Amino acid sequence: MALRTVCAATLRTGTDLGVNNARTFVTTAFLCRRIPPMGPMPNEVDVENLESLEKYRSYTRYFKQAEEARNKPAWWKTYRSYVEKADPEHGAERVDIGLPYYRPGRTKEVRERKQVMKDNKKNIELERASRLRTFKIPLDKVQETWEKSSGPFHIKRLADHYGVFRDLFPMAYFLPQVSLRIGYGQDNTGQVHYGNRLTPTEAVSVPQISFDSEEGSLWTLLLTCPVFLTTTTSNDPCFCSGNIPGGAVQAGEELCHYLPPFPARGTGFHRYIYVLFKQEGHINFQEDVRPSPCHSLVDRSFKTMEFYRKHQDNMTPAGLAFFQCQWDESVTDTFHTTLNMREPVFEFIRPPVYHPPQVKYPHRQPLRYLDRYRDGKEHTYGIY
């Protein structure tokens, strides 16, 4: 009897739940059909008559309407459109003018790495040095590995950051796959990397330059500065040498002798860029040779891009290194002694500090307010 009562109650409850759910579904569908259209967007609201606004009734409906309004094309112009209109080459794809890059196989790299790990695990001396914390990492091997793997891509990013390709090779770039080792001084203390700072005094003499090359290959090395004093469209070739056999820079054909960096006073840091070109064969540089010595800035000026376009069929950019230089006392001697000209000096004239007319009753002003209008040069800022 008790079991029969429980079963009957259960069936009655299930039937009531089904009826209630069906009734709820029908009521919801009927009400959804009667929901009025959505109201205006927030930017279309009449602020003076807020009570007459219709409600969105749910955040989802408002969110969908907001997404549709955001995706509609706007009538006003954006900053990008102004930039593209002012610069027709904005967003254009740059051309790769460098040597083709051949990436080694991934399988070969993984196999070599696993072999190195096995050899390290078998090395007892390496394990003892690691345990005693006396192990020293060979930086030469790290440098060599970096130059062969991700080094060219890092150098390219640095050159883009400093605007090297933009000023020397407009709408073009290259991947520096040949590493340049350049050092100033007898002990190579002034190393040239990728944007480091050197003084004109450190770079006053001809540097020692070396790079890895195949036997019988020919190269062209160029040192230039994108900023020039005589014209705004030329570069200053501080040094240029062509038909370099192998890595012997001294045995090359000197097109323009070395001139120390001479950044003008007041112009900030200048970039001095070494570009290495790989030649397909011997090139006749008779039209590009400057008289030696050449101390005329007008005669030394030329465009790097025009020089490359003239010989682009026989040379390809392969290496890059650059440093930054700012004025010091040696630049004055270079202008007066070497170039035999007056030294240009650029100064920034600061406008006088503006002070509004003095108020008789300066309400809520700091105590030093009166110091702005004090007669004389001495002030008492912060002395209270």
Side-chain angles (χ1 to χ4, degrees), residues 201-260:
T201 304
E202 294 176 337
V204 71
S205 59
V206 181
Q208 299 179 9
I209 306 172
S210 62
F211 54 89
D212 298 331
S213 60
E214 303 85 1
E215 185 178 357
S217 59
L218 295 176
W219 305 81
T220 297
L221 183 63
L222 172 67
L223 170 61
T224 182
C225 178
V227 180
F228 196 63
L229 296 177
T230 56
T231 61
T232 58
T233 58
S234 300
N235 304 130
D236 169 37
C238 296
F239 173 73
C240 187
S241 180
N243 296 323
I244 301 174
V249 181
Q250 296 80 5
E253 181 182 352
E254 188 177 74
L255 308 181
C256 186
H257 70 92
Y258 182 80
L259 183 66

Side-chain angles (χ1 to χ4, degrees), residues 242-243 253-256 282-291 307 310-311:
N243 296 323
E253 181 182 352
E254 188 177 74
L255 308 181
C256 186
H282 189 276
I283 301 178
N284 186 8
F285 291 109
Q286 291 299 327
E287 299 179 358
D288 305 306
V289 176
R290 267 55 175 179
F307 175 77
K310 186 189 301 183
H311 308 289

Side-chain angles (χ1 to χ4, degrees), residues 41 59-72:
M41 296 300 294
Y59 176 73
T60 305
R61 295 169 64 86
Y62 166 77
F63 183 75
K64 290 182 179 180
Q65 187 71 8
E67 287 289 329
E68 294 177 1
R70 188 187 66 173
N71 296 331
K72 287 182 180 180

